Amino acid sequence: MQDIKQQTEALTVRDAVRYRRSIRKFKATAVTIEQLEPLLEDAVYAPNHKLTEPWRFLYATTDEAKEAFIKRFITFFKRNNPEAKEEKINQYRDYFSQVPALLFVVLKENENPVVRNDDFAAVSALIQNFQLLAWDQGIGMVWKSGRILYDQDFQQDMGLKENERFAAILHIGYPEEVPEVKSRQKASSLLTELK
C-alpha cells in the first residue's frame, strides 16, 4: 500500500475506502480547525432522509481546549471506575494531550424512533465522509464510541442539550503509524438473491 499522502493527485473514492485506516498514533504536527472545517463542509453532504441535518460539532485543537476535555474525561472515568489506579488515569491524560485534535460529533435525537434511526445512519455516513476526505489530505483519525457517549453527566458537562447525545469522538492527526489492512469477509459470501 502506498504511504498516505505520497500520491501527487487526489485518491479515487475506491482507494480512499480501501486504504483508509483507523489511526491511533499521531505525529506531533498540529491539526487546526481551519484544516478541518472545509472537510466538514463537504462531509455534510451525507445521505440524510428528509434533510433533517441532525448534527453539530464540538472541537478541541488547542492545549487549553484539550485540557478542559481531559479534566471532564477523567471525572467521567473516575466516576465509572472508582478503583482506577493513578497510573491508568495518567495514561489517559498523556494520550489525550498528545492527540492533535478532537472532534465531538453531536447527534440531535428525534422523539420518533424511526427518524432517530435514520438520523443516526446519516450521522454515521457524515463521519465516514469526513474520514475519507481527511485521509485524502493526509490526515488520519480513529472513531471512538463507548459508554462515555451515553453518560448524561458527561453530556451535561460538555454542554449538550436535553435532546442531544454524542455519536462519536474522533481523535485526529497526521499518522505516525499506519496499520496494515485487516482482511474482511468477502461480500459475495454474504450476498443472497431474493426468490
Side-chain angles (χ1 to χ4, degrees):
M1 181 187 85
Q2 58 186 330
D3 243 355
I4 186 170
K5 216 44 186 171
Q6 285 191 350
Q7 71 270 2
T8 56
E9 49 190 67
L11 292 171
T12 65
V13 173
R14 180 186 182 275
D15 285 349
V17 169
R18 291 290 292 253
Y19 299 122
R20 182 208 58 81
R21 296 287 168 266
S22 292
I23 302 300
R24 291 174 175 82
K25 293 185 181 177
F26 302 101
K27 293 179 181 176
T29 308
V31 176
T32 66
I33 193 58
E34 290 77 19
Q35 291 170 282
L36 300 178
E37 192 172 349
L39 304 176
L40 284 171
E41 293 294 350
D42 290 335
V44 299
Y45 284 87
N48 178 210
H49 186 61
K50 297 203 177 185
L51 207 58
T52 58
E53 299 182 284
W55 44 65
R56 72 181 181 96
F57 313 96
L58 306 172
Y59 68 93
T61 56
T62 65
D63 289 340
E64 296 79 18
K66 288 189 286 182
E67 185 56 37
F69 163 72
I70 291 168
K71 286 179 183 175
R72 290 173 175 131
F73 176 84
I74 289 172
T75 299
F76 157 80
F77 184 75
K78 285 181 175 180
R79 187 173 60 247
N80 288 279
N81 302 278
E83 304 297 318
K85 305 236 184 291
E86 199 61 32
E87 180 183 350
K88 185 66 173 174
I89 292 165
N90 288 333
Q91 285 176 347
Y92 278 120
R93 182 178 282 115
D94 293 344
Y95 170 77
F96 283 120
S97 64
Q98 293 175 25
V99 174
L102 296 163
L103 185 74
F104 305 84
V105 182
V106 178
L107 168 65
K108 298 174 195 169
E109 291 209 295
N110 194 290
E111 291 178 9
N112 180 319
V114 173
V115 175
R116 189 167 52 245
N117 285 338
D118 287 349
D119 285 350
F120 184 72
V123 169
S124 297
L126 174 143
I127 293 168
Q128 177 69 347
N129 283 355
F130 181 65
Q131 289 186 109
L132 297 174
L133 290 159
W135 192 253
D136 187 51
Q137 298 301 307
I139 299 170
M141 64 188 71
V142 62
W143 175 346
K144 291 295 205 168
S145 58
R147 184 170 30 176
I148 194 168
L149 299 185
Y150 303 93
D151 187 89
Q152 291 184 346
D153 290 332
F154 179 73
Q155 291 171 358
Q156 190 173 24
D157 288 348
M158 294 290 288
L160 268 60
K161 299 172 187 159
E162 214 173 280
N163 68 332
E164 295 179 324
R165 73 169 179 87
F166 288 110
I169 302 174
L170 304 175
H171 306 186
I172 304 170
Y174 290 96
E176 179 69 42
E177 181 179 295
V178 178
E180 289 296 318
V181 64
K182 293 180 181 174
S183 64
R184 304 292 203 274
Q185 190 171 351
K186 293 277 188 194
S188 58
S189 70
L190 304 169
L191 195 58
T192 304
E193 182 180 4
L194 288 176
K195 300 192 186 241

